[in-house]
Amino acid sequence: MADHTLVFIVLGLTLAAFVWGRFRYDLVALTALLGSVLLGLVPGDEAFLGFGHPAVITVAAVLVLSRGFERSGVVDVIAEQVLKVGDRFFLQLVALSVTVVVLSGFMNNVGALALLLPVAMRLAREHDTSPSLLLMPLAFGSLLGGLTTLIGTPPNIIIASYRRSVSGEAFGLFSFSPVGVAVALAGLAFILLIGWRLVPQRAGKASTEAMFDTANYLVELKVGEDSKANGLTLRELQRELEETIPVLAVVRDDKRRAGHAFFGVLREGDILMLEAGPEEMKLLEDKAGLSLGVEPEDQAEAADDISGERVDPVQHQPSDDSNDQRTERKEKKDKEKKEKKKRVDTEGLELVEAVVRTDSMMVNRTVSQLRLHNQFGLHLVAVARDGGRLKQRLRDIRFRAGDVLLLQGGESELSESLATLGCLPLASRNLALGQPRMLLVSLGIFALSILAILLGALPAAVALAGAAVVSLLVGVLPLRDGYQAIDGPVIVLLAAMIPVGQALESSGGAALIAEAMLVWGGQWPAVVTLIVLFVITMMLSDIINNAAAAVLMAPIAVSLANGFDASIDPFLMTVAISASCAFLTPIGHQSNTLVMGPGGYRFGDYWKMGLPLELVVLAVAIPMILIVWPL
């Protein structure tokens, strides 16, 4: 069997596995690489050269530098300025979208989104706006901003490195800017004027109480003399129930102790404050003998509801209050009760919302597998998915990227635990995050690396890797955080797919695909082929990682250019722009996935704004490419 046929089979199976999504894309890419080695398509001694490829090193360095920006206080400065825009929705949208576009040009676009996501959620909550109207424009803006520079997005880095391997010279730091800036501005104008109106509005998801409905499920259960819970620790009680029901607090002698920090033995009279639904409450009553505690004022209210009129507990005679007075008094009491309930939900319990990132260790694992409480000191209180709280048992939930978690833990440990788990705090409860500010230091180091690239003193990979090392040495971020910042799955994906992409070229497979496209459109001008290449790459990036799309399409683009006897630059630039425009699905880019849970989006919501945005990008990109990079 010919080598190019084997390559097509390997790539076909790889793409099918990417689309299926059963296995992580880094594992799929590594399997494709090993399969290519076994089939003789990639020499064994060259199989892992991709891990030292300049594109891989550059991506890793940019990720470390982006984390340094996060830890050095950039988020505080940005939040302080963006939050000044006031309560006008359009100004909020402009401030967030413009900021994320600018940031994404000089740091990893997922990192830029992560900086602004808590800011957007805070704006939505303070001004009673649906976050769905802010978050999708924010995610799409981060993709548009990545188009503007070499380091804005991995496809640009890949295409620049591929150009070096073909022509001996890479694209420069700002070679992408003329086309990228024009596309980003056109896309931004569309989002601000039209696009946000196409986003489905998920009303009421901005608040924790609305998303998780915690107020309706917060209950107090009392330990009686004959309760099975009497004499058990909380962990023993959970083992007895065979269910992880989070106890938010234990009240003893009018003193409240947070559930995650209570390690003593329960005794008669203790009150457990916990978050439970009707099924869990029945379980607690039947198996643990816990009783629902009802306060005297609640009994009086219950009597009011039954009789329909106020009853004096001593005289047992109807009061002389008018109906209006009774109604006013009842409304006042209901309001006080509601406010009290809200205070109970937050007071001293260190609750925080966090969204599961695509690279999180929690993905496809359960609470027990992660040992959240024992290893990380966290209680899982509730999980929201697609904008609504999951009602199934917490122990049975397998986490997905984009899930929003309501967690309880010690405030001092929350930040570190969430970072280790790969969760992004939404900081809805004023959680203090980050290290002391080293904003000027981190920006200075980054500026020197950019200057070295512009002056041609150092290649991009060396300059940015040096900047990352210096940032670690001077303490902009701890070494452990630097390693955590490197997105392992993306690095493995790139390192594994680069040799497979080279096999597509060396086997003649890329030339065959290009030849078929030339025969099919032989009577058409080259610009039509550019449009077809743009659309194919853009569709591919909507279903697989954009870096993988760039790796696979780059050799085909060069073969097409050679077939037309034209410059390779407009064809490579077409792949670079289109690979980063994954606007149709939540799985096409990590930014899209990251906002899915907090925004309450469904899979089919993205194309409503994404499809017209892709058409705008196509309409602007092709003419600009031909002007800046003529055939």
Side-chain angles (χ1 to χ4, degrees):
M1 192 177 293
D3 284 352
H4 62 262
T5 304
L6 292 174
V7 169
F8 290 152
I9 293 173
V10 170
L11 288 178
L13 293 174
T14 301
L15 290 177
F18 280 144
V19 175
W20 184 26
R22 175 64 178 84
F23 303 102
R24 270 186 15 179
Y25 52 77
D26 52 334
L27 181 59
V28 172
L30 199 56
T31 302
L33 173 61
L34 296 176
S36 299
V37 172
L38 294 176
L39 293 172
L41 302 172
V42 175
D45 56 351
E46 299 178 6
F48 300 108
L49 293 182
F51 285 92
H53 195 279
V56 176
I57 301 300
T58 304
V59 170
V62 170
L63 291 172
V64 174
L65 290 172
S66 297
R67 181 62 62 86
F69 292 155
E70 296 179 36
R71 295 296 298 268
S72 64
V74 173
V75 65
D76 299 324
V77 175
I78 295 170
E80 184 180 355
Q81 298 304 315
V82 173
L83 290 171
K84 291 179 180 179
V85 297
D87 57 359
R88 293 185 61 182
F89 170 76
F90 183 74
L91 293 181
Q92 296 172 7
L93 189 63
V94 170
L96 288 169
S97 301
V98 171
T99 304
V100 79
V101 167
V102 173
L103 284 178
S104 297
F106 297 97
M107 63 184 293
N108 175 261
N109 46 19
V110 177
L113 175 67
L115 288 176
L116 290 175
L117 183 56
V119 180
M121 293 298 292
R122 180 173 169 183
L123 282 172
R125 286 173 176 152
E126 288 184 356
H127 302 289
D128 197 23
T129 304
S130 172
S132 63
L133 297 178
L134 293 174
L135 296 189
M136 190 178 293
L138 190 67
F140 288 178
S142 72
L143 270 63
L144 292 170
L147 303 174
T148 57
T149 66
L150 168 70
I151 60 176
T153 184
N156 289 2
I157 298 171
I158 293 165
I159 294 300
S161 297
Y162 188 77
R163 185 178 188 261
R164 180 189 293 276
S165 68
V166 174
S167 65
E169 185 178 355
F171 284 124
L173 180 64
F174 294 109
S175 296
F176 299 88
S177 299
V179 178
V181 169
V183 171
L185 289 176
L188 184 60
F190 170 80
I191 289 173
L192 295 178
L193 299 176
I194 301 173
W196 69 270
R197 304 174 192 274
L198 306 176
V199 178
Q201 183 172 351
R202 307 298 184 201
K205 300 304 181 189
S207 67
T208 305
E209 288 78 14
M211 181 178 289
F212 293 111
D213 202 18
T214 52
N216 292 334
Y217 286 81
L218 193 67
V219 297
E220 296 182 9
L221 295 176
K222 191 172 184 179
V223 179
E225 182 181 359
D226 299 328
S227 300
K228 187 176 290 187
N230 195 359
L232 299 180
T233 64
L234 290 180
R235 186 178 302 178
E236 290 170 341
L237 175 61
Q238 290 175 342
R239 279 202 299 264
E240 186 74 24
L241 297 171
E242 299 180 352
E243 173 62 275
T244 306
I245 299 177
V247 177
L248 299 181
V250 177
V251 180
R252 177 180 295 173
D253 300 328
D254 295 328
K255 293 182 180 179
R256 184 200 316 269
R257 303 175 188 180
H260 71 274
F262 183 85
F263 301 103
V265 174
L266 296 173
R267 64 191 190 201
E268 182 183 359
D270 286 349
I271 296 176
L272 307 185
M273 294 176 56
L274 46 86
E275 208 260 357
E279 293 182 4
E280 290 91 346
M281 289 172 61
K282 188 174 188 306
L283 181 70
L284 288 163
E285 185 178 358
D286 293 344
K287 284 195 171 185
L290 299 174
S291 58
L292 184 63
V294 181
E295 298 297 327
E297 56 264 34
D298 292 333
Q299 292 177 348
E301 288 179 5
D304 285 350
D305 292 338
I306 294 173
S307 65
E309 56 184 359
R310 178 71 176 169
V311 178
D312 188 298
V314 179
Q315 305 271 346
H316 295 288
Q317 297 291 330
S319 72
D320 295 330
D321 292 346
S322 68
N323 290 333
D324 290 342
Q325 290 175 319
R326 286 198 299 270
T327 302
E328 183 179 351
R329 185 167 53 246
K330 190 175 186 304
E331 288 177 353
K332 183 178 179 181
K333 188 166 290 188
D334 288 343
K335 184 177 180 180
E336 291 175 352
K337 185 181 177 183
K338 185 176 181 182
E339 291 299 321
K340 179 183 176 183
K341 211 168 199 180
K342 282 188 176 181
R343 289 196 299 270
V344 167
D345 189 22
T346 59
E347 185 181 353
L349 298 182
E350 293 92 22
L351 291 174
V352 66
E353 289 169 272
V355 59
V356 179
R357 299 179 60 141
T358 54
D359 56 346
S360 170
M361 64 185 295
M362 301 182 74
V363 174
N364 206 34
R365 300 175 74 181
T366 63
V367 175
S368 57
Q369 290 172 334
L370 291 164
R371 301 182 66 197
L372 273 186
H373 180 63
N374 293 339
Q375 191 165 345
F376 299 99
L378 297 176
H379 272 306
L380 178 66
V381 178
V383 181
R385 183 176 294 164
D386 298 336
R389 175 188 162 172
L390 296 181
K391 301 297 185 182
Q392 65 192 96
R393 304 177 85 176
L394 292 176
R395 70 177 185 182
D396 296 332
I397 295 175
R398 287 191 177 273
F399 301 110
R400 298 180 189 171
D403 283 352
V404 181
L405 315 180
L406 187 61
L407 298 163
Q408 181 197 28
E411 189 171 357
S412 58
E413 299 93 14
L414 269 175
S415 177
E416 184 176 350
S417 296
L418 292 177
T420 304
L421 288 167
C423 291
L424 174 66
L426 297 181
S428 62
R429 299 185 183 271
N430 299 320
L431 182 67
L433 301 173
Q435 298 294 324
R437 296 185 178 188
M438 295 190 70
L439 178 58
L440 294 179
V441 175
S442 61
L443 291 179
I445 294 170
F446 179 69
L448 288 175
S449 68
I450 296 300
L451 186 62
I453 296 172
L454 292 176
L455 295 177
L458 293 171
V462 177
L464 293 169
V469 171
V470 173
S471 296
L472 295 171
L473 288 175
V474 301
V476 171
L477 74 164
L479 182 61
R480 180 177 59 181
D481 286 1
Y483 278 111
Q484 289 179 347
I486 298 175
D487 192 344
V490 170
I491 298 301
V492 172
L493 170 75
L494 282 176
M497 289 304 295
I498 285 173
V500 177
Q502 292 171 346
L504 176 64
E505 183 178 12
S506 61
S507 67
L512 280 175
I513 295 174
E515 183 180 345
M517 292 179 67
L518 289 170
V519 170
W520 177 67
Q523 305 302 316
W524 297 343
V527 64
V528 176
T529 303
L530 278 180
I531 293 174
V532 173
L533 178 66
F534 196 102
V535 171
I536 291 174
T537 307
M538 197 157 49
M539 291 176 62
L540 193 61
S541 70
D542 280 317
I543 57 175
I544 69 173
N545 182 277
N546 59 357
V551 168
L552 294 177
M553 296 304 294
I556 297 174
V558 170
S559 297
L560 280 171
N562 293 334
F564 279 105
D565 195 21
S567 169
I568 64 172
D569 291 342
F571 289 85
L572 287 177
M573 195 60 64
T574 294
V575 171
I577 298 295
S578 56
S580 296
C581 294
F583 301 124
L584 297 185
T585 68
I587 62 174
H589 195 277
Q590 294 184 55
S591 292
N592 295 353
T593 306
L594 204 56
V595 300
M596 189 176 185
Y601 302 121
R602 302 186 180 95
F603 194 97
D605 289 342
Y606 286 78
W607 70 269
K608 296 172 184 177
M609 181 168 76
L611 181 58
L613 180 57
E614 288 193 351
L615 295 176
V616 170
V617 169
L618 175 62
V620 175
I622 296 298
M624 285 299 302
I625 288 172
L626 293 175
I627 292 171
V628 180
W629 306 96
L631 294 168

